[in-house]
């Protein structure tokens, strides 16, 4: 391993460690999906997907892969095999950063090699993605993007040649424009990789013993690193003329933890991986080139890879800074099991049971989203249970669920935060029907509701103050523009 490569490894490792320390700093953050590729922002393992980072979300990624070859193919300057040499091992590494803007654009930079000009030079690049179609929770997404990598330099070999970076992100003196070898012109090799990609996301079926999960299917077509070199036998064992695809299963392993299982075809290689995403710090392990069995060339051999990604959410409408992983929101079930009524067995000393007190029936909506029937007597007493017993006679009945009455944030008219949106009190206390609302989140232990047919972002949400009594909160975006 060269001194320049060792130096690059120290610098890259220090950058990753700094990002990791900054990311582990405690913060109560909002949910933000992060699924990063090894080098080029959001995606599967190597291929992009149709998602972009949320507005002002920044991710930093350090990745590397280990090469261990039994023997190497010796070629001449034109790529013709002239013999075999001893094997070798090496650790090749990359770093990248990416930023989301306005929930529609993602921009980033990648750094893939640090060496002298005579042995490849420094490889750096940029990438960008524009979302064309945004899926709502589940459904279809579409995006276009481009990747760019600077040209390597091999001044010690031929300073007049225009060299190109291969798909694995390290300089190789055999890649240059011109007549590469007989029958294989390389004029179509360029520094840019434009592509178009689509997603289909859906909620996974869940048995009782398995956690909630989502599935994202990805497919697209591109030039550059997804296509160039497909006609070189020693570079590609199989290719798909620029078409690529992948699949990711997102499994909810805890309140702030996701497990991502990934598989893809990048036009040349089958890549597999597993990731643990905990509070915005994502650790991944992968097998690159899983479709190859022999270990003779770096391009056609299985390789172990790893990745560390840290996500920072810096938007104005989020709490804290660390991005929390999440799956798509689930709708509350319309059919719910009501709790058992309060005990209604009383001991009387009279032989004839007293008549059931009269009262006007009424239905109230509780903080759990369930309805409860009560009766109001002529004197204003609240009667519950089949025998219509007064709450006062029972020594006080506590309805299920948590309520905002008496809480400091409610009494002091503080703002309510939900899914990066801020809300403020609107109007006086009101009554609501459970059939018209649904649970959409939680704030300080109290369930937050919205109209059942409302779409995100919600213009109005409601919190339960007391059983059957609600307070509306209005989205600040609607009032402030």
């Amino acid at each position: 391993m060269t001194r320049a490569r060792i130096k690059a490894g120290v610098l890259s490792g220090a950058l990753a460690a700094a990002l990791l320390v900054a990311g582990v700093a405690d913060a109560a953050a909002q949910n933000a999906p992060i699924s990063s590729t090894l080098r080029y922002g959001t995606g599967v393992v190597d291929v992009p997907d149709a998602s972009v980072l949320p507005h002002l979300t920044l991710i930093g990624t350090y990745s590397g892969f280990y090469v261990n070859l039994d023997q190497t193919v010796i070629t001449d300057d034109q790529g013709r095999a002239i013999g075999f040499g001893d094997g070798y091992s090496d650790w090749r590494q990359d770093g990248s950063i990416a930023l989301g803007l306005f929930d529609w654009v993602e921009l980033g930079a990648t750094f893939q090699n640090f060496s002298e000009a005579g042995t490849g030079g420094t490889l750096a690049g940029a990438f960008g993605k524009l979302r064309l179609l945004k899926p709502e929770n589940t459904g279809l997404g579409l995006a276009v993007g481009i990747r760019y990598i600077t040209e390597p330099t091999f001044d010690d070999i031929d300073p007049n040649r225009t060299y190109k970076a291969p798909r694995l992100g390290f300089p190789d003196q055999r890649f240059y424009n011109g007549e590469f070898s007989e029958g294989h012109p390389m004029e179509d090799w360029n520094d840019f990789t434009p592509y178009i990609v689509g997603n289909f996301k859906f909620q996974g079926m869940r048995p009782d013993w398995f956690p909630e999960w989502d599935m994202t299917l990805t497919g697209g077509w591109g030039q550059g690193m997804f296509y160039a070199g497909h006609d070189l036998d020693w570079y590609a064992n199989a290719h798909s003329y620029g078409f690529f695809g992948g699949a990711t299963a997102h499994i909810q392993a805890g309140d702030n933890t996701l497990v991502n299982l990934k598989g893809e075809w990048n036009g040349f290689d089958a890549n597999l991986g597993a990731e643990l995403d905990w509070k915005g710090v994502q650790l991944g392990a992968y097998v690159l080139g899983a479709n190859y069995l022999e270990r003779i060339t770096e391009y056609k051999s299985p390789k172990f890879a790893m990745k560390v990604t840290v996500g920072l959410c810096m938007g104005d409408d989020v709490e804290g800074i660390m991005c929390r992983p999440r799956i798509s929101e689930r709708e509350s079930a319309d059919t719910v099991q009501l709790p058992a009524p309060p005990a209604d067995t009383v001991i009387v000393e009279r032989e004839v049971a007293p008549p059931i007190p009269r009262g006007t029936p009424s239905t109230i909506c509780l903080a759990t989203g369930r309805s409860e029937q009560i009766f109001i007597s002529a004197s204003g007493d609240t009667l519950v249970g089949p025998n219509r017993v007064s709450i006062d006679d029972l020594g006080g009945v506590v309805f299920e669920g948590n309520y905002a009455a008496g809480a400091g944030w409610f009494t002091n008219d503080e703002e309510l935060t939900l899914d990066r949106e801020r809300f403020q009190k609107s109007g006086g206390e009101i009554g609501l029907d459970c059939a018209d609302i649904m649970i959409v989140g939680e704030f300080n232990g109290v369930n937050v509701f919205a109209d059942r047919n409302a779409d995100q972002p919600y213009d109005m949400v409601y919190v339960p103050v007391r059983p059957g009594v609600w307070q509306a909160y209005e989205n600040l975006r609607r009032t402030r523009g």
Side-chain angles (χ1 to χ4, degrees), residues 34-36 260 262 275-277 280-284 307-309:
I34 296 176
S35 187
S36 170
N260 297 319
K262 296 183 172 185
E275 299 169 350
L276 176 65
D277 193 340
V281 178
Q282 192 174 96
L283 306 177
K307 180 196 72 173
V308 179
T309 297

Side-chain angles (χ1 to χ4, degrees), residues 153-168:
T153 57
F154 288 96
D155 292 346
D156 293 348
I157 300 175
D158 189 342
N160 298 318
R161 281 180 180 171
T162 302
Y163 291 92
K164 301 297 178 181
R167 71 179 186 267
L168 294 180

Side-chain angles (χ1 to χ4, degrees), residues 402 416-419 439-449:
N402 297 324
L416 180 152
T417 303
L418 179 70
D419 289 339
I439 297 175
V440 296
E442 179 181 297
F443 183 74
N444 288 341
V446 179
N447 285 336
V448 180
F449 293 71

Side-chain angles (χ1 to χ4, degrees), residues 285-303:
Y286 313 88
V287 176
L288 308 181
N291 52 314
Y292 302 113
L293 299 178
E294 297 181 346
R295 294 186 291 120
I296 297 178
T297 74
E298 289 180 289
Y299 306 103
K300 296 163 61 175
S301 63
K303 296 166 282 293

Side-chain angles (χ1 to χ4, degrees), residues 57-195:
T57 294
L58 178 70
I59 63 172
T61 297
Y62 166 79
S63 68
F65 65 90
Y66 179 68
V67 178
N68 183 24
L69 303 181
D70 296 328
Q71 59 182 339
T72 57
V73 178
I74 300 176
T75 62
D76 58 18
D77 286 347
Q78 294 185 339
R80 291 187 291 261
I82 57 177
F84 291 92
D86 295 334
Y88 74 96
S89 61
D90 198 3
W91 176 256
R92 302 191 182 276
Q93 53 199 336
D94 311 286
S96 68
I97 56 175
L99 176 67
L101 296 173
F102 313 112
D103 295 331
W104 288 96
V105 177
E106 181 179 311
L107 301 174
T110 180
F111 310 94
Q112 299 181 17
N113 193 70
F114 298 89
S115 63
E116 302 297 331
T119 57
T122 298
L123 291 186
F127 53 88
K129 184 164 34 172
L130 173 64
R131 172 183 278 168
L132 302 179
L133 179 62
K134 179 180 180 181
E136 294 297 334
N137 197 18
T138 59
L140 295 173
L142 184 67
V144 294
I146 192 168
R147 298 174 178 179
Y148 167 79
I149 299 297
T150 56
E151 298 173 348
T153 57
F154 288 96
D155 292 346
D156 293 348
I157 300 175
D158 189 342
N160 298 318
R161 281 180 180 171
T162 302
Y163 291 92
K164 301 297 178 181
R167 71 179 186 267
L168 294 180
F170 63 90
D172 190 324
Q173 68 190 49
R174 295 171 294 178
F175 287 85
Y176 57 87
N177 278 358
E179 188 68 24
F180 190 83
S181 60
E182 184 178 355
H184 295 297
M186 297 288 288
E187 285 82 359
D188 60 346
W189 197 290
N190 57 62
D191 306 320
F192 291 92
T193 298
Y195 62 85

Side-chain angles (χ1 to χ4, degrees), residues 241-266:
Y241 297 99
F243 289 96
F244 57 83
T248 303
H250 316 273
I251 304 171
Q252 188 79 58
D255 292 340
N256 300 307
T257 306
L258 277 185
V259 173
N260 297 319
L261 303 180
K262 296 183 172 185
E264 70 172 23
W265 174 259
N266 67 3

